[in-house]
């Protein structure tokens, strides 16, 4: 595969190889052989015995039907794996759990094979990937630059084809910044979406498990397998957000994409031009980017490290910090010790400030459907981080730190390369619960950009972008409209208000008659199914969030109602029908083929 010595990269590759009869041991052998003992991306490489035990569990005909059968993955070493040490990049803190994190167990139950645990900024405190006694993880494209953190190792092994996907964690951007710096997809779910049992907290009320993958399709499938509450483990979810429909925007209107009014990307790296190119992609889709004042979001971001949330990190390492402070990496210790400046009053004041900012930010979603921001505005060298660790780190969180505090969903995507060859990424951000919609948008984006996968492992193929599954979304109902709710008609706004999505313009089966109802305001037609002499009538089919159907029904005045309507291809959907008594004396306008054509003829 274009010069690399592994037979499969994406989930589509692995599925195809196994469908052709390959065995997991055969496919995994060259990949496992590439794990170097001096590679700082790894803290623990699973040994032959651990791998063999996993393969033994897959040696049944039933196992071959598992969705991740024989697919290699890695996990950040603040996520528990039964029988393997969890270090959080701090040897003095290490312990060996008897139970795997829920997310890890779900992946193994789906057939995935764990190949190792990866390096991180100690205690997941940092966005640079250099704060670890196990070594600095270099950028996979240019080792003089940082990999991004804290999930540095997880990003590195996926970018270099050492795992098909990897789990990270994300509090302030740790699942997004490394993706941007290594030409990867970083799926950061809505807080509360993924069970956190067995994941060492950084900020327990904000943390999420994230997914690194070469493609959106792969990240989406992994997320679909690990999401959902764990009823068997007493692990509270500190945030809960209603599911959104699996699309952004509404009713066929152009997607409204907000972009920072002053992105401030690094011209020395060519990141300014790279973001301009990303905005140009939106325009190529026929969209008009909406400039956004980011000031309220930046104010939220400052709360994360300047406010009392750092005290959550302190609760995790307090005993070690007080008994053996030298065990902590110096910059990490300096950050966590800052928690001592905050008291309970400061915590409440910060919470009040956050709620006021949340109110301000809510207005943003009335103007845009999604935000597109640079994943990071620059990428520092490792030497620059060593010289000014806090300043360089702070620069990287400009577009990431606010997201979990506001309960939002985010998807980091490859977008191009700077003038010096470093990857540049963008992140799409949407309200909490929009994970499925972001994945659908992200798959379209990745297909359009057509960039090489990871660290130039190979060119993308159409199968790489096919969405086999999506994270859960709000249930929806298909509704066919025939008259005043058509696009451009007086009642179409009722669909827009309910964030409906236009699915298709088609006709009914040739079994209907259409009538112009007298004395209706605004004018409306009545659709009736007939035993003979029917015509195909123009309809538009919209997908409506199920939660909005009740309020929509309340607006429908007699003699109309919602019933079942057969479409031209034989499918039945819900749609507008009319009481038979109201059709007496109503003009039959079926010969025009639809309400819009009849109005035009008048």
């Amino acid at each position: 595969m274009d010069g690399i010595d592994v037979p499969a990269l994406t989930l589509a590759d692995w599925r195809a190889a196994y469908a052709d009869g390959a065995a997991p041991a055969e496919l995994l052998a060259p990949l496992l052989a590439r794990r170097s003992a001096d590679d700082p991306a790894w803290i623990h490489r699973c040994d032959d015995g651990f791998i063999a035990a996993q393969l033994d569990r897959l040696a049944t005909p039933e196992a071959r039907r598992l969705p991740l059968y024989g697919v290699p993955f890695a996990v950040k070493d603040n996520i528990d794996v039964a029988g393997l040490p969890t270090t959080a990049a701090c040897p003095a803190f290490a312990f060996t759990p008897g139970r795997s994190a829920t997310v890890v167990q779900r992946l193994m139950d789906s057939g995935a094979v764990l190949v190792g645990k990866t390096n991180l900024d100690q205690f997941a405190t940092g966005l640079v990937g250099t704060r670890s006694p196990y070594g600095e993880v270099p950028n996979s494209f240019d080792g003089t630059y940082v990999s991004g953190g804290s999930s540095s190792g997880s990003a590195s092994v996926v970018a270099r084809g050492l795992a098909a996907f990897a789990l990270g964690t994300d509090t302030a951007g740790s699942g997004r910044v490394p993706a941007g710096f290594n030409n990867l997809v970083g799926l950061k779910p809505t807080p509360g979406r993924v069970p956190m049992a067995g994941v060492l907290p950084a900020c327990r009320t904000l943390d999420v498990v994230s997914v690194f993958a070469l493609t959106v399709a792969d990240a989406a499938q992994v997320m679909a397998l690990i999401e959902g509450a764990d009823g068997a483990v007493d692990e509270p979810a500190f945030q809960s957000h209603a599911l959104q429909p699996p699309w952004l925007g509404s009713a066929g209107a152009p997607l409204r994409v907000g972009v920072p009014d002053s992105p401030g990307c690094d011209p020395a790296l060519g990141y300014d031009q790279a973001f301009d190119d990303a905005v140009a992609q939106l325009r190529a889709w026929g969209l008009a980017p909406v400039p956004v004042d980011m000031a309220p979001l930046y104010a939220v971001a400052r709360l994360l490290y300047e406010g009392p949330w750092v005290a959550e990190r302190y609760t995790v390492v307090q005993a070690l910090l007080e008994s053996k402070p030298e065990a902590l990496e110096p910059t990490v210790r300096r950050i966590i010790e800052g928690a001592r400046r905050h008291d309970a009053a400061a915590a409440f004041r910060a919470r009040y400030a956050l709620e006021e900012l949340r109110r301000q930010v809510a207005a943003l979603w009335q103007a845009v459907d999604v935000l597109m921001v640079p994943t990071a505005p620059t990428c520092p060298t490792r030497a620059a981080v060593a010289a000014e660790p806090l300043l360089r780190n702070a620069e990287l969180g400009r577009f990431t730190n606010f997201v979990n505090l506001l309960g939002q969903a985010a998807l980091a995507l490859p977008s191009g390369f700077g003038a010096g060859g470093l990857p540049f990424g963008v992140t799409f951000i949407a309200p909490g619960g929009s994970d499925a919609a972001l994945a659908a948008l992200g798959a379209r984006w990745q297909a359009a950009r057509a960039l090489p996968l990871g660290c130039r492992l190979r060119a993308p193929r159409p199968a790489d972008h096919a969405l086999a599954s999506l994270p859960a979304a709000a249930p929806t109902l298909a509704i066919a409209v025939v008259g005043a709710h058509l696009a451009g008609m007086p009642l179409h706004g009722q669909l827009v208000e309910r964030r409906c999505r236009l699915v298709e313009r088609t006709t009914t089966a040739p079994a209907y008659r259409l009538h112009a109802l007298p004395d209706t305001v605004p004018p409306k037609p009545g659709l009736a199914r007939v035993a003979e002499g029917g015509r195909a009538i123009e309809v538009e089919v919209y997908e409506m969030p199920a939660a909005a159907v009740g309020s929509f029904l309340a607006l429908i005045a007699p003699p109309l109602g919602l019933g079942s309507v057969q479409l031209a291809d034989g499918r039945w959907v819900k749609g507008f029908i009319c009481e038979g008594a109201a059709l007496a004396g109503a003009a039959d306008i079926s010969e025009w083929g639809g309400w819009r054509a009849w109005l035009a003829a008048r």
Side-chain angles (χ1 to χ4, degrees):
M1 296 178 67
D2 295 355
I4 67 169
D5 58 353
V6 291
L9 290 170
T10 66
L11 296 187
D13 291 336
W14 288 92
R15 282 192 292 264
Y18 288 132
D20 287 342
E26 167 192 355
L27 287 187
L28 289 169
L31 180 146
L32 296 173
R34 294 175 61 226
R35 298 174 304 162
S36 169
D38 60 358
D39 184 347
W42 298 107
I43 288 180
H44 182 92
R45 290 172 295 282
C46 296
D47 61 23
D48 291 346
F50 192 92
I51 299 291
Q54 295 181 82
L55 296 185
D56 285 346
R57 291 195 294 271
L58 299 180
T60 67
E62 295 77 17
R64 294 188 71 90
R65 295 192 288 271
L66 294 172
L68 297 179
Y69 172 76
V71 176
F73 77 108
V75 301
K76 186 176 179 177
D77 197 22
N78 60 344
I79 302 174
D80 289 348
V81 177
L84 300 183
T86 298
T87 71
C90 182
F93 185 83
F95 63 94
T96 300
R99 180 190 183 109
S100 293
T102 301
V103 290
V104 172
Q105 192 61 55
R106 286 178 176 177
L107 292 172
M108 289 182 161
D109 290 345
S110 298
V113 177
L114 181 72
V115 298
K117 302 193 75 179
T118 56
N119 204 354
L120 64 150
D121 281 324
Q122 192 177 75
F123 294 112
T125 303
L127 291 173
V128 289
T130 64
R131 301 171 178 175
S132 171
Y134 294 95
E136 298 182 0
V137 179
N139 187 288
S140 60
F141 283 76
D142 185 338
T144 61
Y145 287 85
V146 301
S147 60
S150 61
S151 309
S152 52
S154 288
S156 178
V157 299
V158 175
R160 293 180 290 136
L162 299 175
F165 65 90
L167 299 184
T169 61
D170 189 307
T171 303
S174 297
R176 291 162 279 161
V177 171
F181 289 171
N182 292 279
N183 196 43
L184 295 175
V185 172
L187 194 164
K188 186 217 74 71
T190 302
R193 189 75 183 259
V194 173
M196 300 300 291
V199 181
L200 185 72
C203 292
R204 194 177 179 200
T205 61
L206 302 177
D207 298 337
V208 297
V209 170
S210 64
V211 179
F212 294 99
L214 296 172
T215 68
V216 174
D218 288 2
Q221 180 161 10
V222 171
M223 186 57 60
L225 292 168
I226 65 175
E227 69 181 350
D230 182 355
V233 176
D234 184 18
E235 177 65 20
F238 290 94
Q239 296 195 48
S240 178
H241 302 271
L243 293 177
Q244 300 296 316
W247 65 84
L248 297 163
S250 62
L255 189 67
R256 302 172 301 169
V257 183
V259 297
D261 55 4
S262 300
C265 292
D266 190 343
L269 296 178
Y271 275 14
D272 55 344
Q273 181 59 52
F275 189 65
D276 288 345
D277 291 345
V279 174
Q281 177 67 64
L282 299 177
R283 293 195 173 99
W285 283 349
L287 305 178
V290 180
V292 170
D293 177 7
M294 300 288 290
L297 296 170
Y298 295 154
V300 172
R302 287 192 293 272
L303 290 173
L304 187 59
Y305 281 103
E306 297 176 17
W309 275 271
V310 71
E312 289 200 88
R313 299 179 187 271
Y314 184 78
T315 65
V316 176
V317 300
Q318 181 177 358
L320 182 64
L321 185 61
E322 293 177 353
S323 65
K324 198 175 180 180
E326 69 278 6
L328 275 70
E329 193 274 340
T331 302
V332 172
R333 183 173 71 243
R334 179 180 171 187
I335 292 169
I336 295 178
E337 284 178 334
R340 294 168 173 162
R341 301 192 305 268
H342 301 284
D343 58 14
F348 280 107
R349 282 193 293 267
R351 183 59 187 265
Y352 303 152
L354 175 60
E355 294 309 312
E356 170 57 25
L357 289 166
R358 193 191 308 276
R359 184 188 62 78
Q360 295 178 34
V361 172
L364 168 67
W365 302 116
Q366 303 304 312
V368 303
D369 302 309
V370 64
L371 277 174
M372 185 186 80
V373 300
T375 298
T378 187
C379 181
T381 63
R382 291 158 65 189
V385 170
E388 295 183 281
L390 295 181
L391 177 60
R392 298 284 82 86
N393 190 92
E395 292 171 344
L396 302 185
R398 181 189 305 169
F399 298 111
T400 61
N401 286 356
F402 57 83
V403 175
N404 281 1
L405 278 166
L406 293 171
Q408 296 165 340
L411 181 64
L413 299 165
S415 185
F417 296 90
L422 287 176
F424 173 79
V426 297
T427 295
F428 286 94
I429 302 168
S434 300
D435 307 78
L438 284 179
L441 175 63
R444 180 187 176 197
W445 175 270
Q446 196 173 20
R449 301 304 284 168
L451 298 171
L453 300 181
C455 192
R456 302 189 185 280
L457 298 174
R458 68 162 170 80
R461 302 167 182 163
D464 296 326
H465 304 307
L467 290 165
S469 59
L470 286 170
T476 62
L477 183 70
I479 296 178
V481 300
V482 70
H485 289 88
L486 294 167
M489 297 295 168
L491 298 183
H492 184 70
Q494 294 178 0
L495 302 180
V496 174
E497 290 168 359
R498 286 157 184 78
R499 293 187 58 205
C500 296
R501 172 171 65 173
L502 175 64
V503 177
E504 61 180 320
R505 292 184 171 93
T506 183
T507 66
T508 66
Y512 291 88
R513 304 297 294 182
L514 191 68
H515 300 77
L517 299 175
D519 303 321
T520 53
V521 181
K524 304 179 186 73
L527 183 70
R529 185 176 178 86
V530 294
E532 56 184 40
R535 295 280 303 265
I537 303 299
E538 175 198 12
V539 294
E540 292 174 351
V541 181
Y542 289 87
E543 199 171 356
M544 179 178 290
V549 172
S551 66
F552 184 64
L553 279 170
L555 297 174
I556 300 174
L560 301 179
L562 280 187
S564 296
V565 174
Q566 189 177 28
L567 302 180
D569 61 5
R571 287 177 297 139
W572 288 87
V573 299
K574 298 305 174 185
F576 279 87
I577 58 174
C578 186
E579 297 175 7
L583 300 178
D588 188 321
I589 58 173
S590 305
E591 63 182 287
W592 277 273
W595 182 245
R596 186 178 279 112
W598 181 73
L599 290 178
R602 292 180 67 196

